């Protein structure tokens, strides 16, 4: 296959889905797919074998749930608009408001169409990267306990609380203490509790048995509550790579950069936003390197090491690179560079900055055949500007 490509591996996807289905059954909870992390709709027939619902954050995602997944969405958005609220409600089984003002403005339009929820904020999160912390000071997400009335309006049937990001079950255990301390007073008035995403139960070191124990304990305390989890990363965690190619090698002041036919800023934005160093097949990360691009010379020169390279994106953004990886050979133009675990979040956050060739999307089936699901070209770029 020519050009860069995201490859989702069916066998690995099914492994994750089976684990998630087993957890849902054993813990007696509903686990649904968050489109914000994965929305490759051509895989939805596979998902429907394991789960029954999805979660949306916009009209487009809610429509995707209805039209392609075949079931109404659990929908949450920081703010709904007059132009979209009726259409979103029509595509939603559950609709969560972010604020009391949004609830007051739109709840009558939603009543009878979707189960109404309210996002609450316990003011506690162990997410260290502020870009991803929904409980950071000044957050725009959710209603704090002191702002809620003693008795909820009759049509509010659920609470939604999201505090995690690729977190372990132990983090959920500690977070629940804060959620219950601040909001359990209202649980008797509710039908469901959505504990959001960020539960990375398919990661190898995740304590699945602890998660199941936590959920069973929650049921014992509040047996009338339907418990919902909506992870995104967990579904597509380590289900496939982004395959790229070296197009040039440049050298400046001892820094060797392999320029690729992909871009970090366009095709792997979380690497720069989190930031994190992705795993590159056949290479190892050079410890002690820095990706701080604010200070010239912040990297360590590697003139004494023949096979150490920065990997650079093919865009005009100066900071579109990451440092550094050590290979066991000299890189050559045309050689494949494979970034592992590039399906969750990455595929939904890409952009067409600079009009750089967008990676295709393919599925590696269990029988070893590679199916091209989507290829991008000039018309895709042009129509975004239309």
């Amino acid at each position: 296959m020519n050009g860069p490509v995201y490859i989702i591996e069916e066998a690995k996807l099914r492994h994750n889905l089976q684990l998630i289905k087993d957890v849902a059954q054993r813990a007696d909870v509903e686990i649904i797919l968050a489109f914000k992390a994965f929305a490759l709709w051509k895989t939805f027939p596979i998902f429907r074998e394991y789960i029954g619902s999805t979660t949306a954050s916009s009209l487009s995602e809610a429509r995707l749930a209805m039209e392609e997944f075949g079931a109404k969405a659990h929908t949450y958005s920081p703010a709904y608009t007059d132009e979209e609220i009726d259409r979103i409600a029509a595509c939603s089984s559950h609709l969560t408001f972010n604020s009391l003002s949004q609830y007051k403005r739109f709840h009558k339009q939603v009543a009878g169409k979707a189960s109404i929820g309210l996002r609450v904020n316990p003011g506690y999160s162990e997410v260290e990267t502020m870009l991803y912390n929904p409980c950071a000071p000044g957050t725009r997400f959710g209603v704090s306990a002191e702002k809620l009335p003693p008795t909820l309006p009759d049509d509010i049937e659920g609470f939604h609380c999201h505090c995690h990001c690729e977190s372990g079950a132990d983090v959920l255990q500690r977070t629940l203490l804060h959620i219950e301390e601040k909001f359990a007073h209202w649980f008797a008035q509710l039908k469901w509790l959505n504990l959001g995403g960020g539960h990375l139960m398919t990661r190898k070191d995740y304590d699945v048995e602890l998660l199941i124990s936590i959920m069973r304990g929650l049921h014992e305390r509040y047996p009338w509550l339907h418990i919902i989890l909506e992870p995104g990363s967990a579904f597509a965690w380590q289900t496939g790579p982004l395959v790229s190619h070296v197009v040039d090698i440049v050298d400046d002041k001892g820094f060797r950069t392999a320029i690729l036919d992909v871009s970090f800023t366009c095709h792997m934005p979380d690497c720069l936003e989190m930031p994190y160093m992705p795993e590159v097949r056949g290479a190892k990360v050079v410890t002690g390197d820095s990706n701080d691009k604010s200070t010239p010379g912040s990297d360590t020169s590697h003139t004494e090491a023949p096979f150490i390279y920065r990997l650079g994106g093919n865009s005009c953004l100066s900071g579109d690179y990451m440092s550094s990886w050590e290979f066991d050979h000299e890189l050559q133009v045309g050689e494949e560079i494979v970034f592992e675990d590039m399906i969750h979040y990455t595929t939904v956050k890409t952009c067409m900055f600079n009009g750089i060739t967008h990676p295709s999307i393919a599925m590696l089936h269990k029988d070893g055949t590679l199916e091209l699901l989507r290829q991008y070209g000039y018309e895709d770029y042009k129509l975004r500007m239309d």
Side-chain angles (χ1 to χ4, degrees), residues 13-32:
L13 177 63
R14 286 186 179 275
H15 175 270
N16 286 355
L17 285 164
Q18 186 61 56
L19 185 150
I20 289 169
K21 180 179 179 179
D22 290 344
V23 169
Q25 290 175 341
R26 292 177 59 199
D28 190 21
V29 299
E30 184 177 15
I31 304 178
I32 63 181

Side-chain angles (χ1 to χ4, degrees), residues 229-251:
L229 305 178
E230 49 176 44
S233 296
F235 283 95
W237 183 257
Q238 295 186 342
T239 55
L242 170 59
V243 179
S244 66
H245 306 84
V246 178
V247 293
D248 196 13
I249 308 289
V250 297
D251 189 298

Side-chain angles (χ1 to χ4, degrees), residues 118-195:
L118 193 66
R119 179 161 177 170
V120 295
N121 194 320
Y124 177 87
S125 173
E126 297 186 21
V127 178
E128 295 181 353
T129 302
M130 286 300 102
L131 183 66
Y132 296 91
N133 187 343
C135 299
T139 180
R140 67 189 193 281
F141 297 131
V143 182
S144 57
E146 61 269 18
K147 294 180 181 178
L148 289 175
T151 301
L152 296 172
D154 290 340
D155 58 356
I156 292 181
E157 298 184 333
F159 277 171
H160 177 122
C161 188
H162 175 63
C163 307
H164 303 91
C165 178
E166 297 186 356
S167 303
D170 58 321
V171 179
L172 173 60
Q173 190 172 45
R174 292 189 291 271
T175 304
L176 263 179
L177 296 175
H178 294 264
I179 295 173
E180 292 184 64
E181 177 187 3
K182 294 189 176 181
F183 297 105
H185 168 77
W186 290 279
F187 285 2
Q189 304 171 50
L190 304 177
K191 294 181 179 179
W192 52 267
L193 176 64
N194 185 327
L195 293 171

Side-chain angles (χ1 to χ4, degrees), residues 75-364:
T75 304
Y76 160 79
S77 175
Y80 303 102
T81 65
D82 292 296
E83 293 76 21
E84 294 183 343
I85 186 63
D86 289 330
R87 286 179 290 167
I88 287 177
C91 295
S92 303
S93 62
H94 298 65
L95 190 146
T96 296
F97 291 104
N98 183 62
S99 65
L100 290 170
S101 58
Q102 279 264 300
Y103 164 79
K104 292 175 183 177
R105 182 175 173 184
F106 293 123
H107 76 102
K108 291 181 180 179
Q109 291 173 250
V110 176
K113 299 176 183 177
S115 179
I116 294 175
L118 193 66
R119 179 161 177 170
V120 295
N121 194 320
Y124 177 87
S125 173
E126 297 186 21
V127 178
E128 295 181 353
T129 302
M130 286 300 102
L131 183 66
Y132 296 91
N133 187 343
C135 299
T139 180
R140 67 189 193 281
F141 297 131
V143 182
S144 57
E146 61 269 18
K147 294 180 181 178
L148 289 175
T151 301
L152 296 172
D154 290 340
D155 58 356
I156 292 181
E157 298 184 333
F159 277 171
H160 177 122
C161 188
H162 175 63
C163 307
H164 303 91
C165 178
E166 297 186 356
S167 303
D170 58 321
V171 179
L172 173 60
Q173 190 172 45
R174 292 189 291 271
T175 304
L176 263 179
L177 296 175
H178 294 264
I179 295 173
E180 292 184 64
E181 177 187 3
K182 294 189 176 181
F183 297 105
H185 168 77
W186 290 279
F187 285 2
Q189 304 171 50
L190 304 177
K191 294 181 179 179
W192 52 267
L193 176 64
N194 185 327
L195 293 171
H199 312 283
L200 195 48
M201 61 192 74
T202 51
R203 189 175 59 198
K204 288 182 179 179
D205 63 349
Y206 190 94
D207 192 340
V208 170
E209 295 305 318
L210 177 59
L211 172 63
I212 293 171
S213 175
I214 293 168
M215 294 296 97
R216 287 176 174 171
L218 198 59
H219 281 306
E220 290 176 3
R221 296 191 295 279
Y222 316 102
W224 63 89
L225 285 181
H226 178 64
I227 307 300
I228 304 161
L229 305 178
E230 49 176 44
S233 296
F235 283 95
W237 183 257
Q238 295 186 342
T239 55
L242 170 59
V243 179
S244 66
H245 306 84
V246 178
V247 293
D248 196 13
I249 308 289
V250 297
D251 189 298
D252 182 65
K253 295 182 172 59
F255 297 106
R256 274 181 306 278
T257 301
I259 300 180
L260 311 177
D261 58 358
V262 294
S263 159
F264 287 101
T265 192
C266 295
H267 309 135
M268 297 172 278
D270 273 354
C271 294
L272 301 179
E273 291 178 359
M274 179 58 87
Y276 78 97
M277 289 288 285
E279 181 182 348
V280 174
R281 189 174 301 177
K284 61 181 181 180
V285 174
V286 177
T287 59
D289 253 18
S290 169
N291 280 298
D292 180 4
K293 291 139 182 153
S294 60
T295 305
S298 60
D299 289 300
T300 303
S301 180
H302 297 301
T303 53
E304 74 285 356
F307 305 137
I308 292 180
Y309 298 84
R310 288 176 171 178
L311 297 179
N314 198 11
S315 79
C316 66
L317 179 68
S318 298
D320 188 4
Y321 73 87
M322 295 196 77
S323 297
S324 288
W325 287 265
E326 182 178 353
F327 294 81
D328 62 3
H329 63 280
E330 183 176 355
L331 296 183
Q332 302 294 322
V333 171
E335 181 174 346
E336 283 189 353
I337 300 294
V338 180
F339 293 93
E340 305 286 11
D341 194 24
M342 282 294 165
I343 302 300
H344 61 91
Y345 275 101
T346 298
T347 52
V348 297
K349 294 181 73 172
T350 61
C351 71
M352 292 187 171
F353 173 61
N354 269 185
I356 298 169
T357 298
H358 193 287
S360 300
I361 300 174
M363 174 174 280
L364 180 63

